[in-house]
Amino acid sequence: MKRILSPVLLCAATFGLFAQDSKEEIVKTGWNFGPLPVVGWDSDLGFQYGACVDIFNYGDGTNYPSYNYKMNVEASTYTGGSSLLRCYGDFKTLIPDGKLFFDCTYFNAKKFDFYGFNGYASPYMPGHLYPVPGEVLEDGATSAFYWMRRNQFRLVTSVQRRITGNLHWAAGLGYYNIQTGKVKINGYENQVTLYDLYRRFGLIRDNEANGGNVLQFKAGLIYDTRDHDSDPTRGLNIEATLVGAPDIIDRAGYSNLGFTFVGSHYVPVYKDRLTFAYRLGVQAKLAGEIPYYFINNLNTLFFRKVYTEGLGGNASVRGINRNGVVGNGMAWLNTEFRWRIVNFRFINQNFHIALNPFFDMGQVIQPYRLEEQKAAYTKYLEKYPEATPDKNPFYADKKESVHMTAGCGLKIVMNRNFVISVEMARALDNRDGQKLWNNIGFNYLF
């Protein structure tokens, strides 16, 4: 979830609002370097600061606006307690008729969102304060009920080769080391969190409570007719991936097999100035068991966002609580119009500014430990008989249904590859969040 607002690019945006629409583009060649400060904001994480560098190679310009190579390095931190170290590369001409991608990332989150399992089946009680038995909370204490601690190291590589025409095969390997636990921040030690309750009453098991290792093997087919990768205006991109995760490292019994389908369609409405874009995603477990700390992972071969988790946040359904909708299987739909308002040239680069009003939705389609979730409250009452029925923290006695959001974004695009995104959205049901979600980051969602 990189966030960046460079003074140079802000000037470009201001200039573009008054510029004449330019039809001629500069064909970029050779290397382009973009060392920039990272200064931004995310509703889920807080204010972000740090530094990053984007490196593009366009070769002799034959493939422009596509690049030959792209690499990125970032180090940043958030006032909400998270930090990020990342290095990734996308090499489109290194392999004949194919491409190579790698990502190496470390996330450190002192306050990681955990809202339970199965969407609306979990009650949403914002501001809930529940003291540790025998402890007293200070007046004006802030709720940490939906927080936990999570650190993640991720190393992923994928390769793609053409079969024929627009059809490609792809394969990938991913390794994740995830460490989870109770929030350890001064001022919050005396609270019971939802993570604590899930641990005490068996929804999170002892052999997964502190995290673990996940090794993934991926194989898939990709059909791609897009006119561009980062900023498409027409075409299809369909990815179907089979993902196996044998538990050969921890040997805790969490081997699983899953399937992910993600299809995007870009429909030109008016030339290349107005495009209707939509994306349908379905992820399902086929066999085995997934540890609780990995059910929010959205499997993909090639990343567009730093975070590849959901549903919720800026990688899936924009506007609902981050990780607010998780289960063994999930489906989501993103729809938006992309209106290119103005094209202009600035600092010898090609720019355009676009608006993207959007409507998103998602739902759990395969529940995760639902029967255990329903039964947990009985155990809870046996241990805490003073609890009242309206404070069931595990199960809302509601069926899961579609979670919907609406919002709008502003994009500043340089050379059709470097995209700064500002987006705001609101959940249409208060159970998915009661505040305006906003995010400053990189790239279109899809």
Side-chain angles (χ1 to χ4, degrees):
M1 259 185 253
K2 285 183 294 186
R3 252 52 77 196
I4 179 168
L5 280 181
S6 161
V8 172
L9 290 172
L10 282 175
C11 291
T14 304
F15 175 83
L17 292 176
F18 301 98
Q20 294 292 323
D21 195 26
S22 174
K23 295 182 179 180
E24 294 184 5
E25 280 195 274
I26 303 169
V27 176
K28 305 302 295 183
T29 61
W31 293 93
N32 271 35
F33 295 85
L36 292 164
V38 173
V39 181
W41 167 262
D42 185 275
S43 290
D44 300 313
L45 301 171
F47 178 75
Q48 182 189 20
Y49 55 94
C52 77
V53 59
D54 266 310
I55 304 170
F56 292 92
N57 180 279
Y58 292 98
D60 61 6
T62 302
N63 298 321
Y64 181 82
S66 182
Y67 51 82
N68 292 357
Y69 312 132
K70 177 185 178 180
M71 290 166 282
N72 173 277
V73 178
E74 178 185 350
S76 61
T77 190
Y78 297 84
T79 54
S82 298
S83 57
L84 169 69
L85 295 171
R86 189 188 190 201
C87 176
Y88 78 89
D90 186 15
F91 305 96
K92 293 188 175 182
T93 60
L94 193 62
I95 300 174
D97 290 325
K99 69 176 181 178
L100 174 68
F101 173 86
F102 80 86
D103 176 282
C104 182
T105 304
Y106 176 71
F107 309 95
N108 175 22
K110 295 179 180 179
K111 297 188 295 186
F112 187 75
D113 300 293
F114 179 72
Y115 290 95
F117 304 151
N118 304 314
Y120 288 142
S122 293
Y124 180 50
M125 302 180 292
H128 184 62
L129 286 164
Y130 185 56
V132 173
E135 299 286 348
V136 177
L137 295 176
E138 296 180 2
D139 292 339
T142 302
S143 173
F145 190 68
Y146 291 115
W147 292 346
M148 60 181 290
R149 175 174 46 87
R150 192 196 74 163
N151 299 334
Q152 181 190 96
F153 172 77
R154 178 180 76 196
L155 180 62
V156 174
T157 184
S158 303
V159 63
Q160 174 182 311
R161 291 291 304 273
R162 187 188 310 276
I163 297 175
T164 180
N166 298 309
L167 184 64
H168 311 258
W169 65 262
L173 178 66
Y175 168 71
Y176 300 78
N177 175 266
I178 300 171
Q179 300 173 6
T180 64
K182 181 178 172 62
V183 170
K184 293 183 178 179
I185 302 176
N186 290 338
Y188 299 103
E189 304 94 331
N190 297 336
Q191 294 187 36
V192 173
T193 65
L194 187 62
Y195 166 80
D196 294 326
L197 295 176
Y198 268 52
R199 280 206 63 182
R200 293 180 191 183
F201 299 101
L203 282 165
I204 294 175
R205 296 163 186 166
D206 290 342
N207 64 354
E208 61 180 347
N210 297 320
N213 297 281
V214 177
L215 182 65
Q216 286 190 325
F217 297 91
K218 308 175 187 178
L221 292 173
I222 296 173
Y223 181 76
D224 190 357
T225 64
R226 293 172 299 169
D227 61 343
H228 194 262
D229 182 20
S230 301
D231 179 30
T233 60
R234 64 188 67 234
L236 284 164
N237 184 50
I238 299 173
E239 180 179 313
T241 310
L242 193 66
V243 181
D247 187 11
I248 58 179
I249 300 177
D250 294 339
R251 300 184 183 277
Y254 293 109
S255 295
N256 56 82
L257 179 68
F259 175 76
T260 302
F261 171 91
V262 180
S264 303
H265 190 195
Y266 308 89
V267 183
V269 178
Y270 177 71
K271 299 181 179 179
D272 65 348
R273 304 301 295 267
L274 181 62
T275 299
F276 175 66
Y278 63 92
R279 178 181 71 166
L280 174 65
V282 179
Q283 181 164 296
K285 185 193 74 171
L286 301 179
E289 186 169 6
I290 306 170
Y292 95 95
Y293 53 81
F294 209 64
I295 58 169
N296 65 331
N297 187 72
L298 298 179
N299 297 314
T300 181
L301 286 157
F302 303 99
F303 299 163
R304 292 182 67 88
K305 294 283 187 178
V306 177
Y307 290 88
T308 57
E309 300 171 335
L311 299 178
N314 81 333
S316 51
V317 181
R318 296 160 288 189
I320 65 174
N321 293 324
R322 187 170 65 129
N323 302 316
V325 183
V326 296
N328 272 324
M330 298 169 284
W332 62 99
L333 175 68
N334 309 108
T335 63
E336 63 184 39
F337 282 97
R338 299 177 180 179
W339 174 30
R340 184 183 293 194
I341 302 171
V342 63
N343 303 320
F344 61 98
R345 298 197 309 199
F346 183 64
I347 57 172
N348 202 36
Q349 308 291 337
N350 303 300
F351 282 90
H352 72 259
I353 296 175
L355 284 176
N356 63 304
F358 57 83
F359 178 80
D360 293 349
M361 62 179 69
Q363 181 177 342
V364 172
I365 57 174
Q366 274 185 315
Y368 184 79
R369 300 180 184 174
L370 181 59
E371 295 307 314
E372 297 170 54
Q373 186 177 3
K374 293 178 180 179
Y377 192 48
T378 300
K379 300 177 183 178
Y380 175 80
L381 289 176
E382 291 174 356
K383 187 167 185 177
Y384 303 109
E386 71 281 5
T388 56
D390 63 336
K391 293 184 179 180
N392 182 345
F394 303 102
Y395 185 59
D397 198 21
K398 302 287 184 181
K399 287 187 177 181
E400 170 67 329
S401 57
V402 178
H403 306 249
M404 295 181 287
T405 68
C408 190
L410 173 72
K411 300 292 187 288
I412 304 172
V413 184
M414 183 178 73
N415 298 325
R416 296 196 68 185
N417 291 302
F418 186 82
V419 182
I420 290 182
S421 171
V422 181
E423 291 184 320
M424 295 184 180
R426 181 68 167 86
L428 302 188
D429 190 310
N430 284 338
R431 291 176 293 174
D432 290 316
Q434 300 176 1
K435 296 181 180 179
L436 181 68
W437 174 89
N438 51 81
N439 175 264
I440 302 171
F442 280 148
N443 298 326
Y444 278 101
L445 177 63
F446 60 97

